[in-house]
Amino acid sequence: MRRPRGEPGSRAPRPTEGATCAGPGEPWSPSPNSMLRLLLSAQASAARLSGLLLLPPVQPCCLGPSKWGDQPPGGGLHAGPVQGLQRLLEQARSPGELLRWLGQNPTKVRAHHYPVALRRLGQLLGSQPRPPPVEQATLQDLSQLIIRNCPSFDIHTIHVCLHLAVLLGFPSDGPLMCALEQERRFRLPPKPPPTLQPVLHGGQRLEAALSCPHFLRRPRQHLIRSLAEARPEELTPHVMVLLAQHLARHRLREPQLLEAIAHFLVVQEAQLSSKVVQKLVLPFGRLNYLPLEQQFMPCLERILAREAGVAPLATVNILMSLCQLRCLPFRALHFVFSPGFINHISGTPHAFIVRRYLSLLDTAVELELPGYRGPRLPRRQQVPIFPQPLITDRARCKYSHKDIVAEGLRQLLGEEKYRQDLTVPPGYCTDFLLCVSSSGAVLPVRTQDPFLPYPPRSCPQGQAASQSTTHDPAQRVVLMLRERWHFCRDGQVLLGSRALRERHLGLMGYQLLPVRAPTPHVLLAPLCQPRTLRVTRHSLPRSYPSRNWSHREACHSSRAT
C-alpha cells in the first residue's frame, strides 16, 4: 500500500514541498507551497521571512572548485558528494536532521554549506502553521560548528551568515555573532590612520583655501577675516598673487581685499619683480577699481622704470591694467614706444600679443592724452586691437541674448539697417551698428563706409575725416549689449575691458546706446513705431562721460522722441 505523502517514513519529500534548488545559472526561488506557508504563518516575523526568501543561496561555484571536482548542479547519479550534501541540507525536514547532515559528514562540509543550513533552518521555522520548538542544544551545536569553521570562510560567506543569523534572531552579543563580526573585521583592509591636520593661521589658511581646485567662491567675510588674522611674515607674494587671481577670475570687486593688495605692493616694492607685479595689478584694471593708496601709482612708475627692459611682456601687461584705469605714466609710454623696445620685442615669441597691446596703448594715447608729445607706435607696426568678440563672449555665446536682439532688429528695422559684430577702426568689435539721419530716421547701413574714420582729428587723415563727416551728417549709433558677465559680480560696474571699449568708441564719435540684458525689449520698444529710431541731437551725449552709465540713466538719456 502506498504511503500518504508527508507522513513519517517517506523517503524524501517531493521537490515542490521544499525550496527549489537552482543551478549556478538559474534564478532561485522557493516552491509555491513553501512560500504560501511562510506568508500565512502568523508566528513568523515578516522582516526575517522576507530576508530569508529574497536572499539567493550561495552557490559552490562562487567559492571556487572543491577537491571533489565540479559536478553538474542538478544532482542525479552524476552529482558529486559536495552537491549531494547541499541538496540534502536544502531538503532537510527538521532542525535535528539538518544538524545531523552537517555533523555526520565532516569531510564533505564546505564553507558555503553553512549559509545553506542557516537558510534552511529559517525555512523550517516558518514552513509549518505551528512550528515545533527548536531545542536550544541544536542551535548551540549549529553555532559551534559555524564558529569552529568560520576562519576558513571568505568575506562573502561571512556576510551571508551574518545576515541570516540576524534574521534568525541570534543575539548580537552572542558567541556566533561576535565570532562572525570578528572575522569580518579581520578580512577588511586596515584603515589608514587619520592624518593630523596642521593648524593653519591667517595667511596659511588663506593660501590653502585659494590653492584648492574646488574653491570657487567662499564668502567674502571669510577671505577678509583670514587676511586680517594673518601675520605680516605670512603674507608672501605667492599668497597675494593667489588672492589677486581669485578676485580677477571671479569678478569680485571687494574694496578691502583690493586695498590690502595695493598696500602690500607699496610695502614690498623693492622685493617684487615686474612678473609678480603684473599679477598683483591685474584685478585693479579688470575690476575697474583705482585704489585709495596714495603711493600706488608712484610705486608702479618706479617699478616700470626699473624693470621695463627686463620683462617686456610683463611691462605691457602692467600698462594695459593702468590703461583700463585711465592712468598712463608718460615715462613708461616713452620707453615702450621707443624704437629700441619695439626692435627688441620683434623677434620674441610673444611679439604679436605685445604689438596688439601697444596698438591699444597707442589708441589710448590718441584719444585720451591730447598733451602727449612723445614717440608713438609706427603705423606699420599697428594691428587690430579686438577684431572679434572677447574671449568671455565666445565662451558664453550660448547664454548670450545677442541673437534675441538681432532678431528684434531684423523684424523692426530690416536686415539692411544694421550691422552685427562689425569691426571698426582701429579694431574694436561692435555689437550692433546703426546709421541715423539728422531727423532721427534709421538709414540703411552703407556697405562701403559704415564706420567713422580713424583717427578722428589731426593729420591729413583727420582732415579727410572731418570733410567726410560734413558731407555725411548721419550719426553712427552703436548698441552695446550688456550681459551679466560684463559687470563685476553683484554690482553695476562694468569690467575694465568693457568700459575701455565703450569709452574709446564714444571718444571716436560713435553714439552709444546701452542695451542691458536680459530685458532687451525695454530698450527696443521705441523701435516698434514706426520702424524708425528717433535720435535727436540732445538725446545722446556728445562725448562719452568719464563715469559708467547706470541702466536707468542710459534709458533716460537715449529716450526716443
Side-chain angles (χ1 to χ4, degrees), residues 307-469:
E307 305 234 353
V310 178
L313 184 59
T315 300
V316 294
N317 280 333
I318 296 174
L319 287 177
M320 279 291 299
S321 298
L322 295 181
C323 180
Q324 293 172 349
L325 296 175
R326 306 183 69 179
C327 300
L328 288 173
F330 278 30
R331 185 177 178 182
L333 291 176
H334 279 255
F335 178 81
V336 297
F337 287 144
S338 63
F341 182 84
I342 297 175
N343 294 333
H344 174 67
I345 60 101
S346 297
T348 59
H350 45 262
F352 182 77
I353 188 66
V354 173
R355 287 175 59 193
R356 176 167 291 179
Y357 287 167
L358 291 179
S359 300
L360 190 146
L361 291 174
D362 187 80
T363 302
V365 168
E366 174 70 33
L367 299 175
E368 300 184 17
L369 297 178
Y372 178 82
R373 295 296 180 265
R376 296 277 299 276
L377 184 67
R379 294 296 179 189
R380 66 180 183 276
Q381 297 286 347
Q382 293 182 359
V383 295
I385 303 173
F386 299 112
Q388 54 189 354
L390 298 179
I391 296 178
T392 53
D393 290 335
R394 297 199 302 270
R396 304 192 183 192
C397 60
K398 60 181 179 180
Y399 306 108
S400 176
H401 296 79
K402 182 175 288 188
D403 293 339
I404 299 176
V405 178
E407 180 62 20
L409 290 174
R410 188 188 68 81
Q411 294 183 13
L412 299 173
L413 301 178
E415 296 182 357
E416 73 282 354
K417 292 189 177 181
Y418 75 95
R419 289 289 181 271
Q420 181 178 351
D421 295 331
L422 180 66
T423 301
V424 300
Y428 281 112
C429 181
T430 59
D431 296 331
F432 301 96
L433 181 65
L434 297 82
C435 293
V436 182
S437 65
S438 57
S439 61
V442 180
L443 305 174
V445 179
R446 293 183 302 173
T447 56
Q448 297 294 330
D449 190 17
F451 41 77
L452 295 176
Y454 178 84
R457 57 180 180 271
S458 73
C459 301
Q461 188 176 0
Q463 297 176 5
S466 62
Q467 295 175 2
S468 175
T469 306

Side-chain angles (χ1 to χ4, degrees), residues 13 15 19 21 72-92 97-98 101 112-113 116 120:
C21 178
L77 297 176
H78 302 285
V82 176
Q83 285 79 8
L85 177 59
Q86 178 175 343
R87 187 170 64 253
L88 292 175
L89 293 174
E90 291 172 347
Q91 296 177 356
E97 183 181 351
L98 190 70
W101 288 127
H112 68 274
H113 288 143
V116 174
R120 182 55 182 165

Side-chain angles (χ1 to χ4, degrees), residues 213-398:
H214 301 290
F215 179 80
L216 296 179
R217 185 192 176 199
R218 292 286 181 92
R220 302 181 184 183
Q221 302 305 323
H222 171 77
L223 296 176
I224 296 173
R225 183 172 62 253
S226 301
L227 192 64
E229 294 175 356
R231 295 188 296 269
E233 61 272 13
E234 293 177 338
L235 297 180
T236 61
H238 177 65
V239 174
M240 303 307 290
V241 164
L242 288 177
L243 180 61
Q245 291 176 342
H246 179 76
L247 297 178
R249 183 181 300 114
H250 299 289
R251 313 191 318 273
L252 294 177
R253 197 176 191 264
E254 180 53 51
Q256 291 179 271
L257 297 175
L258 291 170
E259 290 292 343
I261 297 174
H263 181 71
F264 176 83
L265 194 149
V266 171
V267 173
Q268 301 291 331
E269 172 189 348
Q271 287 74 32
L272 299 178
S273 64
S274 57
K275 294 184 178 180
V276 176
V277 172
Q278 68 173 343
K279 299 176 182 178
L280 295 177
V281 178
L282 174 65
F284 296 98
R286 174 169 171 76
L287 301 174
N288 203 1
Y289 181 84
L290 184 63
L292 301 176
E293 175 66 49
Q294 297 295 328
Q295 293 299 317
F296 180 75
M297 284 305 303
C299 172
L300 289 179
E301 292 182 9
R302 290 191 295 269
I303 293 175
L304 286 173
R306 184 182 72 229
E307 305 234 353
V310 178
L313 184 59
T315 300
V316 294
N317 280 333
I318 296 174
L319 287 177
M320 279 291 299
S321 298
L322 295 181
C323 180
Q324 293 172 349
L325 296 175
R326 306 183 69 179
C327 300
L328 288 173
F330 278 30
R331 185 177 178 182
L333 291 176
H334 279 255
F335 178 81
V336 297
F337 287 144
S338 63
F341 182 84
I342 297 175
N343 294 333
H344 174 67
I345 60 101
S346 297
T348 59
H350 45 262
F352 182 77
I353 188 66
V354 173
R355 287 175 59 193
R356 176 167 291 179
Y357 287 167
L358 291 179
S359 300
L360 190 146
L361 291 174
D362 187 80
T363 302
V365 168
E366 174 70 33
L367 299 175
E368 300 184 17
L369 297 178
Y372 178 82
R373 295 296 180 265
R376 296 277 299 276
L377 184 67
R379 294 296 179 189
R380 66 180 183 276
Q381 297 286 347
Q382 293 182 359
V383 295
I385 303 173
F386 299 112
Q388 54 189 354
L390 298 179
I391 296 178
T392 53
D393 290 335
R394 297 199 302 270
R396 304 192 183 192
C397 60
K398 60 181 179 180

Side-chain angles (χ1 to χ4, degrees), residues 524-535:
L524 293 179
L527 303 179
C528 300
Q529 305 173 4
R531 294 182 62 87
T532 57
L533 177 65
R534 296 293 180 179
V535 182

